[in-house]
């Protein structure tokens, strides 16, 4: 059964191919529809298959024409008009546009001029110096394309956390409903909340493994069975592979620890165990102090743990280590010393300081966004629409005069709101680190989020200096999505997170963990480096409509990967402390 993410992906492809074909206006409408379908909280295909097509009327940007295509896709697995467009432009548009600087229009031009359809075609043309001969291109562009091909191939094999985790939740809900399942959990990189994952791994404790496997491959949501056996099976749901492994209940904890990883964490933990005459593997924790050297095997020794994951760590005298920390970045030493952080949790978040409305590129009104934030139980909320500047899609940024008008509009709505509302702006950090706002505008605002949207190909030294210049600006409260990366699309700026964290700590500027699942920027290791320098962190959604305020889930887990505690995150602070920080 098609997921919301899968349906949205078809309309993203539609938009890309239309743009590649030089069609105006329609691509933006399709992208807006795709974003809203992706964010819709209810599985659309389920409702349509139950005969409830009216659910599409609830989705902003989905009119009659797009609705009919959604229904067509759910019912048939394809969209005739999209298939015709694919035949007209047989381009692997998703792969090719993952190369930074190659958008749909460029892909379309390269197809028309050189017949380029795939990454292999593109690589061959670049190696033969054919691209620089096309009008509008040159040797530097060709070099950049050549350099980006490896990155495009690598990310093309991974799924966004925000697309895969909802499926993982559905998998768990299905498995928990099976009578033969005693316990189940996801494992692998998705349990560690990595920004991208290869596939969804699930683990089940049961004494009826073959029965569970049979039910799993017969699940209604399965699009294809890849393989199955008595202990494991693999299926495909939409474009995502799901691997299931079944174990006996007494080995569930050890298997969960083993298959969660990471590999580096497990190697370090096994070495820690060896030093204490212990052995760890997927079958349990074993005391091997009395074994003869000749005795080998996975289950040899005195088994002292394995039923629970916490027991595996306890057998080594360690507290349970949260999955987000298991990357071999000092977590075992911290556990041994009693220094593991008390990680920030979703319930610690009191508000969101970076979101958008219809004043720039958002989809709804100021009032609707504030109401949605209040319904989430937030104590405060910040509107931060785009200011004018380079890199803003479609020129949707506000000039100074409109920013001042919006501040008045925000104040008017805020007067009747049940929560504290901050009037903000998302300013643009130019190539030199300046934000380009007038003093009058700066004085009128409560919060300024400064973000990079252009010149994202700078070298690391230049990028670091640029970002430090921005955080040193006394007007800037939060440095938004510092690298400017878009997962599976562009790598963004490379910079020294330690140096940036030090500057942010010195000047009282928060570094953002942008919760949009296409960004998750800062990422775990960068958050950890910044926190070690004393920098404050702000977790924000960059929401463009009420439903995407739920992106906070991804940002919180990303901050947890960086060892963030509640006190490190300004969104958890009391209002009085937050106001003092912002002013």
């Amino acid at each position: 059964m098609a997921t919301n993410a899968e349906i949205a992906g078809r309309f993203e492809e539609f938009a890309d191919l239309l743009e590649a074909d030089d069609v105006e206006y329609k691509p933006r409408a399709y992208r807006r529809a795709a974003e809203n379908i992706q964010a819709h909280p209810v599985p659309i295909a389920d409702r349509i298959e139950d005969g409830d097509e009216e659910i599409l009327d609830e989705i902003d940007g989905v009119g009659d024409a797009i609705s009919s295509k959604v229904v067509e896709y759910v019912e048939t697995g394809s969209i005739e008009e999209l298939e015709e467009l694919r035949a007209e432009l047989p381009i692997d548009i998703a792969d090719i546009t993952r190369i930074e600087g190659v958008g749909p229009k460029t892909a379309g031009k390269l197809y028309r001029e050189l017949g380029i359809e795939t990454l292999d075609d593109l690589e061959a043309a670049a190696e033969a110096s054919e691209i620089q001969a096309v009008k509008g291109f040159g040797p530097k562009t060709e070099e950049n394309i050549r350099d980006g091909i490896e990155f495009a191939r690598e990310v093309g094999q991974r799924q966004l956390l925000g697309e895969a985790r909802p499926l993982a939740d559905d998998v768990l809900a299905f498995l928990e409903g099976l009578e033969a399942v005693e316990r189940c959990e996801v494992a692998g990189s998705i349990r560690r909340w990595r920004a991208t994952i290869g596939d969804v791994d699930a683990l089940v404790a049961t004494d009826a493994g073959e029965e569970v496997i049979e039910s799993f491959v017969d699940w209604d949501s399965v699009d294809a069975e890849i393989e199955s056996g008595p202990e494991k099976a693999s299926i495909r749901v939409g474009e995502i592979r799901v691997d299931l492994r079944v174990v006996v209940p007494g080995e569930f904890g050890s298997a969960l620890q083993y298959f969660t990883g990471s590999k580096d964490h497990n190697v370090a933990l096994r070495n820690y165990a060896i030093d204490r005459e212990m052995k760890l593997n997927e079958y349990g924790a074993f005391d091997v102090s009395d074994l003869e050297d000749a005795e080998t095997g996975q289950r040899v020794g005195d088994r002292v743990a394995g039923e629970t994951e916490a027991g595996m760590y306890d057998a080594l005298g360690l507290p349970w280590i949260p999955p987000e920390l298991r990357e071999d970045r000092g977590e075992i030493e911290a556990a041994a010393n009693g220094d593991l952080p008390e990680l920030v949790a979703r319930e610690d978040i009191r508000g969101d300081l970076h979101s958008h409305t219809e004043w720039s590129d958002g989809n709804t009104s100021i009032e609707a966004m504030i109401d949605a934030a209040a319904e989430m139980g937030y104590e405060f909320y910040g509107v931060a629409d785009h200011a004018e500047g380079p890199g803003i899609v479609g020129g949707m940024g506000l000039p100074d005069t409109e920013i001042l008008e919006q501040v008045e509009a925000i104040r008017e709505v805020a007067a009747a709101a049940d929560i504290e509302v901050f009037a903000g702006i998302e300013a643009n950090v130019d190539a030199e680190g300046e934000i380009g706002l007038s003093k009058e505008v700066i004085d009128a605002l409560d919060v300024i989020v400064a973000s990079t949207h252009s010149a994202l190909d700078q070298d690391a030294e230049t990028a670091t200096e640029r970002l430090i210049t921005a955080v040193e600006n006394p007007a800037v409260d939060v440095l938004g999505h510092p690298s400017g990366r878009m997962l599976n699309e562009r790598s963004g700026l490379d910079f020294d997170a330690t140096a940036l964290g030090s500057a942010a700590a010195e000047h009282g500027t928060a570094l953002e963990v942008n919760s949009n699942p296409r960004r998750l920027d800062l990422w775990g290791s960068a958050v950890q480096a910044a926190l070690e320098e004393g920098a404050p962190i702000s977790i924000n959604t960059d929401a463009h409509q009420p439903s995407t305020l739920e992106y906070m889930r991804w940002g919180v887990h990303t901050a947890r990967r960086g060892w963030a505690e509640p006190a490190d995150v300004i969104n958890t602070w009391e209002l009085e402390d937050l106001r003092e920080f912002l002013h």
Side-chain angles (χ1 to χ4, degrees), residues 272-423:
Y272 186 88
I274 289 169
D275 290 342
R276 287 151 184 80
E277 298 186 291
M278 297 282 291
K279 180 175 72 174
L280 299 186
N281 56 38
E282 62 188 278
Y283 305 107
F286 300 86
D287 183 341
V288 294
S289 59
D290 294 332
L291 285 184
E292 299 293 335
D293 291 342
E295 294 185 69
T296 60
Q298 294 281 31
R299 292 183 171 92
V300 300
D302 181 17
R303 187 172 186 271
V304 296
E307 185 174 355
T308 68
E309 188 180 55
M312 294 291 288
Y313 289 95
D314 185 60
L316 301 176
L318 299 174
W320 179 78
I321 299 175
E324 296 97 327
L325 302 186
R326 301 181 198 175
E327 301 291 349
D328 192 26
R329 296 202 307 260
E331 68 274 10
I332 296 174
E333 180 181 2
N337 294 333
D339 292 331
L340 282 177
E342 295 289 335
L343 297 176
V344 65
R346 176 66 183 83
E347 53 267 27
D348 295 321
I349 302 298
R350 298 170 181 263
D352 191 333
L353 293 172
H354 177 183
S355 67
H356 299 270
T357 75
E358 61 193 2
W359 280 68
S360 63
D361 60 343
N363 295 334
T364 49
S365 67
I366 295 169
E367 186 173 18
M369 293 299 288
I370 293 172
D371 287 346
E375 288 174 7
M376 293 180 70
Y378 283 159
E379 296 174 26
F380 60 85
Y381 181 70
V383 176
D385 273 307
H386 287 288
E388 281 186 327
I392 300 302
V393 177
M396 296 295 289
L398 305 177
D400 280 8
T401 53
E402 289 187 24
I403 293 173
L404 293 172
E405 290 175 13
Q406 190 194 37
V407 169
E408 292 183 11
I410 293 171
R411 303 281 188 228
E412 183 176 342
V413 175
D418 295 328
I419 61 176
E420 180 89 357
V421 179
F422 296 109

Side-chain angles (χ1 to χ4, degrees), residues 88-415:
E88 180 184 339
L89 290 171
I91 307 170
D92 288 345
I93 195 78
D95 284 349
I96 289 176
T97 55
R98 286 191 181 103
I99 298 174
E100 190 167 349
V102 179
K105 285 185 179 294
T106 299
K109 186 170 186 178
L110 290 173
Y111 170 71
R112 288 187 290 271
E113 296 289 336
L114 299 175
I116 290 172
E117 298 179 6
T118 67
L119 281 176
D120 289 342
D121 294 342
L122 190 64
E123 185 174 40
E127 294 296 339
S129 300
E130 294 174 350
I131 294 175
Q132 61 181 281
V134 177
K135 185 177 180 181
F137 295 80
K140 180 62 176 175
T141 301
E142 186 174 71
E143 180 183 355
N144 290 340
I145 289 174
R146 188 187 301 113
D147 291 344
I149 288 173
E150 182 178 352
F151 171 81
R153 284 201 174 104
E154 179 183 343
V155 301
Q157 300 172 13
R158 300 190 65 81
Q159 301 286 336
L160 298 181
L161 172 67
E163 295 173 353
R165 183 70 205 205
L167 172 59
D169 294 340
D170 290 343
V171 170
L172 288 179
F174 170 75
L175 293 172
E176 287 168 352
L178 299 179
E179 186 175 348
V181 172
E182 292 192 18
R183 282 184 289 171
C184 60
E185 182 56 274
V186 291
S189 56
I190 202 164
R191 186 168 181 239
R192 303 197 313 276
W193 298 85
R194 285 197 60 184
T196 62
I197 62 105
D199 48 42
V200 172
D201 296 306
L203 186 71
V204 159
T206 181
D207 287 318
E210 293 190 23
E211 178 185 336
V212 171
I213 292 289
E214 184 177 346
S215 298
F216 177 65
V217 298
D218 287 341
W219 183 27
D220 289 344
S221 295
V222 173
D223 289 310
E225 178 184 334
I226 300 171
E227 59 182 347
S228 65
E231 296 180 346
K232 57 185 178 180
S234 298
I235 60 171
R236 183 177 60 79
V237 179
E239 299 174 356
I240 302 176
R241 176 180 173 130
V242 183
D243 295 331
L244 172 68
R245 184 178 296 265
V246 296
V247 299
V248 295
E251 294 178 349
F252 181 77
S254 51
L256 182 60
Q257 193 285 318
Y258 180 84
F259 290 112
T260 294
S262 68
K263 178 181 177 182
D264 290 340
H265 172 81
N266 283 354
V267 168
L269 194 65
R270 286 200 298 271
N271 288 337
Y272 186 88
I274 289 169
D275 290 342
R276 287 151 184 80
E277 298 186 291
M278 297 282 291
K279 180 175 72 174
L280 299 186
N281 56 38
E282 62 188 278
Y283 305 107
F286 300 86
D287 183 341
V288 294
S289 59
D290 294 332
L291 285 184
E292 299 293 335
D293 291 342
E295 294 185 69
T296 60
Q298 294 281 31
R299 292 183 171 92
V300 300
D302 181 17
R303 187 172 186 271
V304 296
E307 185 174 355
T308 68
E309 188 180 55
M312 294 291 288
Y313 289 95
D314 185 60
L316 301 176
L318 299 174
W320 179 78
I321 299 175
E324 296 97 327
L325 302 186
R326 301 181 198 175
E327 301 291 349
D328 192 26
R329 296 202 307 260
E331 68 274 10
I332 296 174
E333 180 181 2
N337 294 333
D339 292 331
L340 282 177
E342 295 289 335
L343 297 176
V344 65
R346 176 66 183 83
E347 53 267 27
D348 295 321
I349 302 298
R350 298 170 181 263
D352 191 333
L353 293 172
H354 177 183
S355 67
H356 299 270
T357 75
E358 61 193 2
W359 280 68
S360 63
D361 60 343
N363 295 334
T364 49
S365 67
I366 295 169
E367 186 173 18
M369 293 299 288
I370 293 172
D371 287 346
E375 288 174 7
M376 293 180 70
Y378 283 159
E379 296 174 26
F380 60 85
Y381 181 70
V383 176
D385 273 307
H386 287 288
E388 281 186 327
I392 300 302
V393 177
M396 296 295 289
L398 305 177
D400 280 8
T401 53
E402 289 187 24
I403 293 173
L404 293 172
E405 290 175 13
Q406 190 194 37
V407 169
E408 292 183 11
I410 293 171
R411 303 281 188 228
E412 183 176 342
V413 175

Side-chain angles (χ1 to χ4, degrees), residues 16 21 23 47 80 92 134 163 167 178 205 276 286 360 373 376 414 428 445 476 507 512:
D16 285 345
D21 203 29
V23 174
R47 295 279 288 273
E80 183 178 357
D92 288 345
V134 177
E163 295 173 353
L167 172 59
L178 299 179
R276 287 151 184 80
F286 300 86
S360 63
M376 293 180 70
N428 296 286
L445 294 165
V476 174
H507 294 275
E512 182 180 73

Side-chain angles (χ1 to χ4, degrees), residues 424-501:
I425 201 72
E426 184 179 12
N428 296 286
V429 178
D430 68 19
E432 287 72 43
E434 303 299 331
I435 63 171
L437 297 178
S438 69
K439 185 178 185 304
E440 183 181 10
V441 164
I442 290 170
D443 290 344
L445 294 165
D446 299 319
V447 57
I448 295 176
V449 179
S451 309
T452 57
H453 295 99
S454 61
L456 300 178
D457 56 352
Q458 292 176 319
D459 62 73
E461 183 178 355
T462 303
T464 302
E465 292 176 357
R466 172 189 185 182
L467 296 178
I468 288 175
T469 297
V471 302
E472 288 177 342
N473 188 326
V476 174
D477 300 297
V478 179
L479 182 68
H481 51 73
S483 81
R485 76 177 186 178
M486 296 294 284
L487 291 165
N488 286 0
E489 296 178 32
R490 67 184 185 219
S491 55
L493 295 170
D494 185 17
F495 58 86
D496 183 336
T498 297
L500 181 61

